[in-house]
Each structure stands twice: as C-alpha cells, then as structure tokens.
C-alpha cells in the first residue's frame, strides 16, 4: 500500500480508531477501582495496537517486497508510531507540572492503599519535584524517573494489585515520551593528528 492510499484510508477510518479508544478506556475504568485511583489511562502499546488495527493497516509479509514497498511500509509505521504517541500524551493535562501534580496524587493514593509502597515510592515522589530549566534537563529528569520506576516494577511482590502496576506503568510511559532519544552509533576512533605516544 502506498503512503497516499494509506492516508486516504486512515482519514476514513479515524472515527473507528476514536471509537475503539473510547471503548478501551471505558473497559479499563469500569473495573472495580478503589477510591482515589483513576481514571486510568491506556498505555502507549495499547494505543498503538488500536491505531494499527482499527486503522486497517497490516504488515505485508511477502518476501519479495520491492525497496519502494519497504520504504512506504516504514514511513507508514513511523507515522502511526508518532500518532500513537500523540494520542497517548493527549490523555494528560497540557503542562508537565500538571502531570506531575496528578502523578503525585496517584502516588499518595497508592501509599494510602498499600502502605508498604511508602519507602520504594519516596524516591519517585522526590523526582517529581525536581526543577528543570531546559529541554535537556527535563529529559534527564525523566530518564531518572523512568529508571526509578522500572527498578521499582522489577522488585514489586507478585500480590501487588493490577491498578498499582498500571499507575506505575503510566509514569514509566510518560517518562519515556519525555526523554530525548539519542542514537548510539559505532564510530572508529579518530586518527591522531600526531604520532606522540603517551609515556608508559
């Protein structure tokens, strides 16, 4: 499928995407949640799956795809990834400080419901309050937050309620969106400008 064809089809299908997102959110929040928890948000992966399937896009598994077909498919997937991330972020307030306030309220609710989380959540709550002055410092704040939450999720006991896992996953997903991704490329060391050798 060409990019232009896909875009025309997707515009027609976008109402179906929105309807599928609304249904998934309703199903998520119709669960029996304790006071102070919710509304829960869909994860980035859940939104991406809905966007791809409700939008009518399927990966072409043919082995004989041309270079142009592969490029079109790559462009479509890149566009869908971007759209999915924007739809994910659209679930949150407009400013980062408002999002941090919401997350802080969520953490307080979790501690009230599961007092054993007070100690592991304390570093996360402190990180919410870290002030940033640039896009780079904001990215570093969220890199740290993502690392803290991922470590916490790895150490939680098996009996941790699903709603607690979802709230923590929301923090991790949002932090990942706020982190500047840099590609690591293998580079050869530069050729020295002289042949001096460091003393042994």
């Amino acid at each position: 499928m060409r990019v232009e064809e896909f875009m025309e089809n997707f515009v027609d299908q976008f109402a179906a995407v929105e309807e599928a997102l609304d249904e998934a959110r309703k199903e998520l929040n119709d669960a029996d949640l304790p006071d102070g928890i919710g509304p829960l948000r869909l994860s980035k992966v859940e939104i991406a799956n809905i966007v791809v399937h409700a939008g009518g896009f399927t990966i072409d598994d043919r082995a004989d795809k041309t270079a142009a077909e592969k490029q079109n498919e790559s462009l479509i997937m890149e566009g869908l990834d971007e759209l999915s991330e924007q739809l994910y972020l659209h679930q949150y307030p407009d400013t980062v400080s408002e999002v941090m306030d919401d997350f802080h309220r969520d953490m307080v609710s979790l501690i009230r419901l599961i007092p054993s989380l007070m100690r592991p959540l304390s570093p996360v709550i402190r990180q919410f309050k870290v002030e940033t002055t640039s896009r780079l410092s904001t990215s570093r704040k969220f890199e740290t937050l993502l690392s803290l939450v991922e470590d916490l999720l790895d150490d939680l006991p098996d009996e941790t309620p699903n709603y607690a896992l979802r709230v923590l996953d929301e923090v991790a997903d949002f932090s990942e969106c706020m982190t500047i991704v840099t590609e690591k490329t293998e580079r050869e060391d530069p050729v020295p400008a002289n042949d001096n050798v460091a003393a042994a």
Side-chain angles (χ1 to χ4, degrees), residues 109-174:
S109 295
L110 288 182
I111 291 170
R112 178 179 55 80
L113 292 161
I114 314 166
S116 61
L117 287 179
M118 179 179 284
R119 182 186 292 261
L121 285 180
S122 292
V124 174
I125 292 172
R126 283 195 299 274
Q127 189 65 19
F128 290 156
K129 301 297 183 186
V130 170
E131 297 290 330
T132 61
T133 56
S134 67
R135 181 65 186 99
L136 184 57
S137 63
T138 300
S139 176
R140 287 186 177 138
K141 167 181 176 166
F142 283 104
E143 280 179 37
T144 302
L145 195 51
L146 178 60
S147 177
L148 287 170
V149 174
E150 286 179 338
D151 290 346
L152 175 59
L153 285 167
D154 288 341
D155 290 336
L156 286 176
D158 292 340
E159 62 271 15
T160 304
N162 190 50
Y163 65 80
L165 299 175
R166 287 205 69 103
V167 169
L168 291 166
D169 278 338
E170 287 178 9
V171 178
D173 273 356
F174 186 84

Coordinates of all heavy atoms in Angstrom, one line a residue, residues 109-174:
S109 N -2.2 8.2 46.8 CA -3.3 7.2 46.8 C -2.8 5.8 47.0 O -3.3 5.0 47.8 CB -4.2 7.3 45.6 OG -4.8 8.6 45.6
L110 N -1.7 5.5 46.2 CA -1.1 4.2 46.3 C -0.6 3.9 47.7 O -0.7 2.8 48.2 CB 0.0 4.0 45.2 CG -0.4 3.9 43.8 CD1 0.8 3.7 42.9 CD2 -1.4 2.7 43.6
I111 N 0.1 4.9 48.3 CA 0.7 4.7 49.6 C -0.4 4.5 50.6 O -0.3 3.7 51.5 CB 1.6 5.9 50.0 CG1 2.9 5.9 49.1 CG2 1.9 5.9 51.4 CD1 3.7 7.1 49.2
R112 N -1.5 5.3 50.5 CA -2.6 5.1 51.4 C -3.2 3.7 51.3 O -3.6 3.1 52.3 CB -3.7 6.2 51.1 CG -5.0 6.1 51.9 CD -6.0 7.2 51.5 NE -6.3 7.2 50.1 CZ -7.2 6.3 49.6 NH1 -7.8 5.4 50.3 NH2 -7.5 6.4 48.3
L113 N -3.3 3.2 50.1 CA -3.9 1.9 49.9 C -3.0 0.7 50.2 O -3.4 -0.3 50.6 CB -4.5 1.8 48.4 CG -5.6 2.7 48.1 CD1 -5.8 2.8 46.6 CD2 -6.9 2.1 48.7
I114 N -1.7 1.0 49.9 CA -0.7 -0.1 50.1 C 0.5 0.6 50.9 O 1.5 1.0 50.2 CB -0.2 -0.6 48.7 CG1 -1.4 -0.9 47.8 CG2 0.7 -1.8 48.9 CD1 -1.0 -1.2 46.4
P115 N 0.4 0.7 52.2 CA 1.4 1.4 53.0 C 2.9 0.8 52.7 O 3.8 1.6 52.9 CB 1.0 1.1 54.4 CG -0.5 0.9 54.3 CD -0.7 0.2 53.0
S116 N 3.0 -0.4 52.3 CA 4.4 -1.0 52.1 C 5.1 -0.3 50.9 O 6.3 -0.4 50.8 CB 4.3 -2.5 51.9 OG 3.5 -2.7 50.7
L117 N 4.3 0.5 50.1 CA 4.9 1.2 49.0 C 5.5 2.5 49.4 O 6.2 3.2 48.5 CB 3.9 1.4 47.9 CG 3.5 0.2 47.1 CD1 2.4 0.6 46.0 CD2 4.6 -0.5 46.4
M118 N 5.4 2.9 50.6 CA 5.9 4.3 51.0 C 7.4 4.4 50.8 O 7.8 5.4 50.2 CB 5.6 4.6 52.5 CG 6.1 5.9 52.9 SD 5.7 6.3 54.6 CE 4.0 6.7 54.5
R119 N 8.1 3.4 51.3 CA 9.6 3.5 51.1 C 10.0 3.5 49.6 O 10.8 4.3 49.1 CB 10.3 2.4 51.9 CG 11.8 2.5 51.8 CD 12.5 1.3 52.5 NE 12.2 1.4 53.9 CZ 13.2 1.8 54.8 NH1 14.3 2.3 54.3 NH2 12.9 1.9 56.1
P120 N 9.6 2.5 48.8 CA 10.0 2.4 47.4 C 9.5 3.6 46.6 O 10.2 4.0 45.6 CB 9.5 1.1 46.9 CG 8.4 0.6 47.9 CD 8.8 1.3 49.2
L121 N 8.4 4.2 46.9 CA 7.8 5.3 46.1 C 8.5 6.7 46.5 O 8.3 7.6 45.7 CB 6.3 5.4 46.3 CG 5.5 4.4 45.5 CD1 4.0 4.6 45.7 CD2 5.8 4.4 44.0
S122 N 9.1 6.8 47.6 CA 9.7 8.0 48.1 C 10.6 8.7 47.1 O 10.5 9.9 46.8 CB 10.4 7.9 49.4 OG 9.4 7.6 50.4
P123 N 11.6 7.9 46.5 CA 12.5 8.5 45.5 C 11.7 9.0 44.3 O 12.1 10.0 43.6 CB 13.5 7.4 45.2 CG 13.3 6.4 46.2 CD 12.0 6.5 46.8
V124 N 10.7 8.2 43.9 CA 9.9 8.6 42.7 C 9.2 10.0 43.0 O 9.2 10.9 42.1 CB 8.9 7.5 42.4 CG1 7.9 8.0 41.3 CG2 9.5 6.2 42.0
I125 N 8.6 10.1 44.1 CA 7.9 11.3 44.5 C 8.9 12.5 44.6 O 8.6 13.6 44.1 CB 7.2 11.1 45.8 CG1 6.0 10.1 45.7 CG2 6.6 12.5 46.3 CD1 5.3 9.7 46.9
R126 N 10.1 12.3 45.1 CA 11.1 13.3 45.1 C 11.5 13.8 43.7 O 11.7 15.0 43.5 CB 12.3 12.9 45.9 CG 12.2 12.9 47.4 CD 13.5 12.8 48.1 NE 14.2 11.6 47.8 CZ 14.1 10.4 48.5 NH1 13.2 10.3 49.5 NH2 14.8 9.4 48.2
Q127 N 11.6 12.8 42.8 CA 11.9 13.1 41.4 C 10.9 14.0 40.7 O 11.2 14.8 39.9 CB 12.2 11.8 40.7 CG 12.8 12.0 39.3 CD 14.2 12.6 39.3 OE1 14.9 12.6 40.3 NE2 14.7 13.2 38.2
F128 N 9.6 13.8 41.1 CA 8.5 14.6 40.6 C 8.8 16.1 40.8 O 8.5 17.0 40.0 CB 7.2 14.3 41.2 CG 6.6 13.0 40.8 CD1 5.7 12.4 41.7 CD2 6.9 12.3 39.6 CE1 5.1 11.1 41.3 CE2 6.4 11.1 39.3 CZ 5.5 10.5 40.2
K129 N 9.5 16.4 41.9 CA 9.7 17.8 42.4 C 10.9 18.4 41.8 O 11.2 19.6 42.0 CB 9.7 17.9 43.9 CG 8.4 17.4 44.6 CD 7.2 18.2 44.2 CE 6.0 17.7 44.9 NZ 4.8 18.5 44.4
V130 N 11.7 17.7 41.1 CA 13.0 18.2 40.5 C 12.7 19.3 39.5 O 11.9 19.1 38.6 CB 13.8 17.1 39.9 CG1 15.0 17.7 39.1 CG2 14.3 16.1 40.9
E131 N 13.2 20.5 39.7 CA 13.0 21.6 38.8 C 14.0 21.5 37.6 O 15.1 21.1 37.7 CB 13.3 22.9 39.5 CG 12.4 23.2 40.7 CD 11.0 23.5 40.3 OE1 10.8 24.1 39.1 OE2 10.0 23.2 41.0
T132 N 13.5 21.8 36.4 CA 14.3 21.8 35.2 C 14.2 23.2 34.5 O 13.3 23.9 34.7 CB 13.8 20.7 34.3 OG1 12.4 21.0 33.9 CG2 13.8 19.3 34.9
T133 N 15.3 23.5 33.8 CA 15.4 24.8 33.1 C 15.5 24.7 31.6 O 15.5 25.7 30.9 CB 16.6 25.6 33.7 OG1 17.8 24.8 33.5 CG2 16.4 25.8 35.2
S134 N 15.7 23.5 31.1 CA 15.9 23.3 29.7 C 15.3 22.0 29.2 O 15.0 21.1 30.0 CB 17.4 23.3 29.3 OG 18.0 22.2 29.9
R135 N 15.2 21.8 27.9 CA 14.7 20.5 27.4 C 15.6 19.4 27.8 O 15.2 18.3 28.1 CB 14.6 20.6 25.8 CG 14.0 19.4 25.2 CD 12.6 19.1 25.6 NE 12.1 17.9 25.1 CZ 12.0 16.8 25.8 NH1 12.4 16.7 27.0 NH2 11.5 15.7 25.2
L136 N 16.9 19.7 27.8 CA 17.9 18.6 28.2 C 17.7 18.2 29.6 O 17.7 17.0 30.0 CB 19.3 19.1 27.9 CG 20.4 18.0 28.1 CD1 20.1 16.7 27.3 CD2 21.8 18.6 27.8
S137 N 17.6 19.2 30.5 CA 17.5 18.9 31.9 C 16.1 18.2 32.2 O 16.0 17.3 33.1 CB 17.7 20.1 32.8 OG 16.6 21.1 32.6
T138 N 15.1 18.6 31.4 CA 13.8 17.9 31.6 C 14.0 16.4 31.1 O 13.5 15.5 31.8 CB 12.7 18.6 30.7 OG1 12.6 19.9 31.1 CG2 11.4 17.9 30.8
S139 N 14.7 16.2 30.1 CA 14.9 14.8 29.6 C 15.7 14.0 30.6 O 15.3 12.9 30.9 CB 15.7 14.9 28.3 OG 16.0 13.5 27.9
R140 N 16.7 14.6 31.3 CA 17.4 13.9 32.3 C 16.6 13.6 33.5 O 16.7 12.5 34.1 CB 18.7 14.7 32.7 CG 19.7 14.8 31.6 CD 21.0 15.4 32.1 NE 22.0 15.4 31.0 CZ 22.8 16.4 30.7 NH1 22.7 17.5 31.3 NH2 23.6 16.2 29.7
K141 N 15.7 14.5 33.9 CA 14.8 14.3 35.0 C 13.9 13.0 34.7 O 13.8 12.2 35.5 CB 13.8 15.5 35.2 CG 12.6 15.2 36.1 CD 11.8 16.4 36.2 CE 10.5 16.1 37.0 NZ 9.8 17.4 37.4
F142 N 13.4 13.0 33.4 CA 12.5 11.8 33.1 C 13.3 10.5 32.9 O 12.8 9.5 33.1 CB 11.6 12.2 31.9 CG 10.5 13.1 32.4 CD1 10.5 14.4 32.1 CD2 9.4 12.6 33.1 CE1 9.5 15.3 32.5 CE2 8.4 13.4 33.5 CZ 8.4 14.8 33.2
E143 N 14.6 10.6 32.4 CA 15.4 9.4 32.3 C 15.6 8.8 33.7 O 15.4 7.6 33.9 CB 16.8 9.8 31.8 CG 16.9 10.0 30.3 CD 18.3 10.3 29.9 OE1 19.3 9.8 30.5 OE2 18.4 11.2 29.0
T144 N 15.8 9.7 34.7 CA 16.0 9.2 36.1 C 14.7 8.6 36.6 O 14.6 7.5 37.2 CB 16.4 10.4 37.0 OG1 17.6 10.9 36.5 CG2 16.6 9.9 38.5
L145 N 13.6 9.3 36.3 CA 12.3 8.8 36.8 C 11.9 7.5 36.1 O 11.5 6.6 36.8 CB 11.2 9.9 36.4 CG 9.8 9.8 37.0 CD1 9.9 9.7 38.5 CD2 9.0 11.0 36.6
L146 N 12.2 7.3 34.8 CA 12.0 6.1 34.2 C 12.8 4.9 34.8 O 12.3 3.8 35.0 CB 12.3 6.2 32.7 CG 12.2 5.0 31.8 CD1 10.7 4.5 31.8 CD2 12.6 5.3 30.4
S147 N 14.0 5.2 35.1 CA 14.9 4.2 35.7 C 14.4 3.8 37.1 O 14.3 2.6 37.4 CB 16.3 4.7 35.8 OG 17.2 3.8 36.5
L148 N 14.0 4.8 37.9 CA 13.5 4.5 39.2 C 12.2 3.6 39.1 O 12.1 2.7 39.9 CB 13.1 5.8 39.9 CG 14.3 6.7 40.4 CD1 13.7 8.1 40.9 CD2 15.0 6.0 41.6
V149 N 11.3 4.0 38.2 CA 10.0 3.2 38.2 C 10.3 1.8 37.6 O 9.7 0.9 38.1 CB 9.0 4.0 37.3 CG1 7.8 3.1 37.1 CG2 8.6 5.3 38.0
E150 N 11.2 1.7 36.6 CA 11.5 0.4 36.1 C 12.1 -0.5 37.2 O 11.7 -1.7 37.3 CB 12.4 0.5 34.9 CG 11.7 1.0 33.6 CD 12.6 1.1 32.4 OE1 13.8 1.2 32.6 OE2 12.1 1.1 31.3
D151 N 13.0 0.0 38.0 CA 13.6 -0.8 39.1 C 12.5 -1.2 40.1 O 12.5 -2.3 40.6 CB 14.7 0.0 39.7 CG 15.9 0.2 38.9 OD1 16.0 -0.5 37.8 OD2 16.8 1.1 39.2
L152 N 11.6 -0.2 40.4 CA 10.6 -0.5 41.3 C 9.6 -1.6 40.8 O 9.3 -2.5 41.6 CB 9.8 0.8 41.6 CG 8.5 0.8 42.4 CD1 8.9 0.3 43.8 CD2 7.9 2.2 42.5
L153 N 9.3 -1.5 39.5 CA 8.4 -2.5 39.0 C 9.0 -3.9 39.0 O 8.3 -4.9 39.2 CB 8.0 -2.1 37.5 CG 7.0 -1.0 37.4 CD1 7.0 -0.5 35.9 CD2 5.6 -1.4 37.8
D154 N 10.3 -4.0 38.8 CA 11.0 -5.3 38.9 C 11.0 -5.9 40.3 O 11.1 -7.1 40.4 CB 12.5 -5.1 38.4 CG 12.6 -4.9 36.9 OD1 11.6 -5.2 36.2 OD2 13.6 -4.4 36.5
D155 N 10.9 -5.0 41.3 CA 11.0 -5.5 42.7 C 9.7 -5.7 43.4 O 9.6 -6.1 44.6 CB 11.9 -4.6 43.5 CG 13.4 -4.7 43.1 OD1 13.7 -5.7 42.5 OD2 14.1 -3.7 43.3
L156 N 8.6 -5.3 42.8 CA 7.3 -5.4 43.5 C 6.9 -6.9 43.7 O 7.1 -7.7 42.9 CB 6.2 -4.7 42.6 CG 6.2 -3.2 42.6 CD1 5.2 -2.6 41.7 CD2 6.0 -2.6 44.0
P157 N 6.2 -7.1 44.8 CA 5.8 -8.5 45.1 C 4.7 -8.9 44.1 O 4.0 -8.1 43.6 CB 5.3 -8.5 46.5 CG 5.1 -7.0 46.8 CD 6.0 -6.2 46.0
D158 N 4.5 -10.2 44.0 CA 3.6 -10.8 43.0 C 2.1 -10.4 43.3 O 1.3 -10.3 42.4 CB 3.6 -12.3 42.9 CG 5.0 -12.8 42.3 OD1 5.6 -12.0 41.6 OD2 5.3 -13.9 42.6
E159 N 1.8 -10.1 44.6 CA 0.5 -9.8 45.0 C 0.1 -8.3 44.8 O -1.0 -7.9 45.2 CB 0.2 -10.3 46.4 CG 1.1 -9.6 47.5 CD 2.4 -10.3 47.8 OE1 2.8 -11.2 46.9 OE2 3.0 -10.0 48.8
T160 N 1.0 -7.5 44.3 CA 0.7 -6.1 44.0 C -0.5 -6.0 43.1 O -0.6 -6.6 42.1 CB 1.9 -5.4 43.4 OG1 3.0 -5.6 44.2 CG2 1.6 -3.9 43.2
P161 N -1.5 -5.2 43.5 CA -2.7 -5.1 42.7 C -2.5 -4.5 41.3 O -1.5 -3.7 41.1 CB -3.6 -4.1 43.5 CG -3.0 -4.0 44.8 CD -1.6 -4.4 44.7
N162 N -3.3 -5.0 40.4 CA -3.1 -4.5 39.0 C -3.2 -3.0 38.8 O -2.5 -2.4 38.0 CB -4.1 -5.2 38.1 CG -3.9 -5.0 36.6 OD1 -2.7 -5.2 36.2 ND2 -4.9 -4.6 35.9
Y163 N -4.1 -2.4 39.6 CA -4.2 -0.9 39.4 C -2.9 -0.2 39.8 O -2.6 0.8 39.2 CB -5.4 -0.4 40.3 CG -5.3 -0.5 41.8 CD1 -4.5 0.4 42.5 CD2 -5.9 -1.5 42.5 CE1 -4.4 0.3 43.9 CE2 -5.8 -1.7 43.8 CZ -5.1 -0.8 44.5 OH -4.9 -0.9 45.9
A164 N -2.2 -0.7 40.8 CA -0.9 -0.1 41.2 C 0.1 -0.3 40.1 O 0.8 0.7 39.8 CB -0.4 -0.8 42.5
L165 N 0.1 -1.4 39.4 CA 1.0 -1.6 38.3 C 0.7 -0.7 37.2 O 1.6 -0.1 36.5 CB 1.0 -3.1 37.8 CG 1.4 -4.2 38.9 CD1 1.1 -5.6 38.3 CD2 2.8 -4.0 39.3
R166 N -0.6 -0.5 36.9 CA -1.0 0.4 35.8 C -0.6 1.8 36.1 O -0.1 2.5 35.2 CB -2.5 0.3 35.6 CG -2.9 -1.1 34.9 CD -4.2 -0.9 34.1 NE -4.0 -0.1 33.0 CZ -3.9 -0.5 31.7 NH1 -3.9 -1.8 31.5 NH2 -3.7 0.3 30.7
V167 N -0.8 2.3 37.3 CA -0.4 3.7 37.7 C 1.1 3.8 37.5 O 1.5 4.8 36.9 CB -0.8 4.0 39.1 CG1 -0.2 5.3 39.6 CG2 -2.4 4.1 39.2
L168 N 1.9 2.9 37.9 CA 3.3 3.0 37.8 C 3.7 2.9 36.3 O 4.7 3.6 35.9 CB 4.0 1.9 38.6 CG 3.9 2.1 40.1 CD1 4.3 0.9 40.9 CD2 4.8 3.3 40.5
D169 N 3.1 2.1 35.5 CA 3.3 2.0 34.1 C 3.0 3.3 33.4 O 3.7 3.7 32.4 CB 2.5 0.9 33.4 CG 3.1 -0.5 33.6 OD1 4.3 -0.6 33.8 OD2 2.4 -1.5 33.5
E170 N 2.0 4.0 33.9 CA 1.7 5.3 33.3 C 2.9 6.3 33.5 O 3.2 7.0 32.6 CB 0.4 5.9 34.0 CG -0.9 5.3 33.5 CD -2.1 5.9 34.2 OE1 -1.9 6.9 34.9 OE2 -3.2 5.3 34.1
V171 N 3.4 6.3 34.7 CA 4.6 7.1 35.0 C 5.8 6.8 34.1 O 6.4 7.6 33.5 CB 5.0 7.0 36.5 CG1 6.2 7.9 36.7 CG2 3.9 7.5 37.4
A172 N 6.0 5.5 33.9 CA 7.1 5.0 33.0 C 6.8 5.4 31.6 O 7.8 5.9 30.9 CB 7.2 3.5 33.1
D173 N 5.6 5.2 31.1 CA 5.3 5.5 29.7 C 5.5 7.0 29.4 O 6.1 7.4 28.4 CB 3.9 5.1 29.3 CG 3.8 3.7 28.9 OD1 4.8 3.0 28.7 OD2 2.7 3.2 28.6
F174 N 4.9 7.8 30.3 CA 5.0 9.3 30.2 C 6.5 9.7 30.2 O 6.9 10.5 29.4 CB 4.2 10.0 31.2 CG 4.2 11.5 31.0 CD1 3.3 12.0 30.2 CD2 5.1 12.3 31.7 CE1 3.2 13.4 30.0 CE2 5.1 13.7 31.5 CZ 4.1 14.2 30.6

